[in-house]
Every structure is written in C-alpha cells, then in structure tokens.
Amino acid sequence: MTTETLPSTDPLAEAIAAVEGWPEAVDPTVSPTPAPAPADDREAVAKDFLIIDYSGDLEKVWATMILASTSAAMGVKTRVFVTFWGLPVFVKDSKRITGENWMQKMMSAMQRPGISHRHLSKMNFFGMGPWMMRKLAKQYGVASPKELLEVAQAMGVEFLPCQMTMDMFGLKPEDMIEGMGEPVGAATVIGLLTENSVPLFI
C-alpha cells in the first residue's frame, strides 16, 4: 500500500517548496509553527513631524527651534510651516522695514522682523525681559534661537513659508533668510497632515 504525503497547511512551507522545486514532507502529528504576529501598522509607518509656527514671541520661537532641531537629530523628518506672526521671524535680521504699502511698512516698524529682534509675550519690559532671557541662556549654556535655527537647517529641517501671509505682509523671497523653502498654501499643509505627519501648533 502506497502512503501519500499529506499536503502542507503552512503557506510559508508551501512557498519555500515551490521556490526550491521539491516537496517537503509534513508530519501530521506535529503542529505547524505559528506565524509571527504582524507588526502594528502604527509602528511600521514612519511618522513625520510638522510644526505649525504662527507666533513670533521669543519664548515660542525658542521652543520651535529646540523641538525642530531635536527631532531632526533623532532622525525624524521635520517640517516647519511658518504663518502669520511666525513669518517675520524668518526675515533677514538686517531688514528694518518690509512691505510695499504704508500699512505693511507700519506693521514691520511696530514689530521689527528678524530672529534676533523678538519680544516676549509676557514681562517684555521694553526689551529688558528678552535681554535677561538671553543673558540667562548664555550663562547656562543654552543655544540661542538663531544658533538653533542654523543647526536645524544643517540637519535638513524644511521651513515652509505661508504664501498667503507673505502676500498680506508684503514680504518677498529676497526679504527672507537663506534656505527657506518655496511658499506653500493651506492645501499643502492639509496634505501633509493626511500623510501621517504628526502636527504641533506653536
């Protein structure tokens, strides 16, 4: 009497047998090794980090630069969408007045653009608060926002200016610091948010 080999119930074993060109006998008394559980989809998908920066206050700019540079150093793809009061931060420090009409120029005069000219949201005291913050940062070895910005750019953080805000404030590409990305709109940001980017509003 001829003994027939029972068909394998293990898809992996069948695939191996098909590739190697020979059947593999299966002992019916031995339970097949359970396949490893599939990895969690949330772990399998790499997350991007999207900071939506809409504030020009010194402490918030500082926090943005710390988080952006740190996440980039950890190997996370990091983008910063800069809009409204966050945008003048990325104007060149040497620019004193920006804009084309009197309202745009007046706004830049009231709040000087540039990362080195930020005010605190609280306890500004006509510039005394930011001066004390910078002195304390230097005393305790904390990098300045400008230094952190340079680090973030060197690590590949993308800074995306808001096209609508640039138009409203009368800002031109030549007004902005080197290394800024192309201006984008809200639709681009929504697209990033629907592509597994983790958002943070600052």
Side-chain angles (χ1 to χ4, degrees), residues 23-195:
E24 181 179 356
V26 177
D27 186 347
T29 63
V30 178
S31 300
T33 303
D40 191 334
D41 288 342
R42 290 173 297 178
E43 296 178 1
V45 178
K47 296 285 187 179
D48 295 347
F49 189 29
L50 175 63
I51 299 175
I52 299 176
D53 175 19
Y54 61 92
S55 173
D57 296 329
L58 174 59
E59 70 274 20
K60 295 175 184 176
V61 172
W62 220 319
T64 298
M65 298 308 162
I66 290 172
L67 291 172
S69 56
T70 302
S71 64
M74 295 173 65
V76 179
K77 185 173 181 58
T78 306
R79 300 180 181 92
V80 181
F81 175 64
V82 190
T83 186
F84 285 100
W85 300 118
L87 195 58
V89 175
F90 296 87
V91 172
K92 295 173 183 174
D93 277 339
S94 58
K95 286 279 184 181
R96 183 62 186 90
I97 301 295
T98 59
E100 299 176 344
N101 59 50
W102 70 270
M103 287 183 289
Q104 294 167 342
K105 292 178 180 180
M106 182 66 72
M107 289 173 66
S108 68
M110 291 187 294
Q111 176 68 279
R112 182 173 179 175
I115 197 167
S116 300
H117 308 293
R118 309 328 301 154
H119 295 172
L120 287 170
S121 63
K122 296 180 179 180
M123 298 185 295
N124 193 66
F125 297 138
F126 302 100
M128 181 62 71
W131 178 82
M132 290 189 291
M133 286 281 285
R134 292 187 178 97
K135 290 288 287 185
L136 287 169
K138 187 174 182 180
Q139 180 180 343
Y140 288 95
V142 178
S144 69
K146 188 172 185 177
E147 291 169 334
L148 291 167
L149 171 60
E150 293 171 356
V151 170
Q153 287 184 310
M155 290 185 174
V157 176
E158 297 179 39
F159 291 90
L160 309 174
C162 173
Q163 181 66 72
M164 181 200 69
T165 307
M166 288 192 69
D167 294 341
M168 191 168 64
F169 288 179
L171 294 172
K172 301 175 182 177
E174 55 266 30
D175 295 328
M176 313 306 290
I177 62 171
E178 297 294 329
M180 292 293 285
E182 291 295 321
V184 300
T188 299
V189 177
I190 298 301
L192 293 173
L193 293 176
T194 57
E195 294 175 1

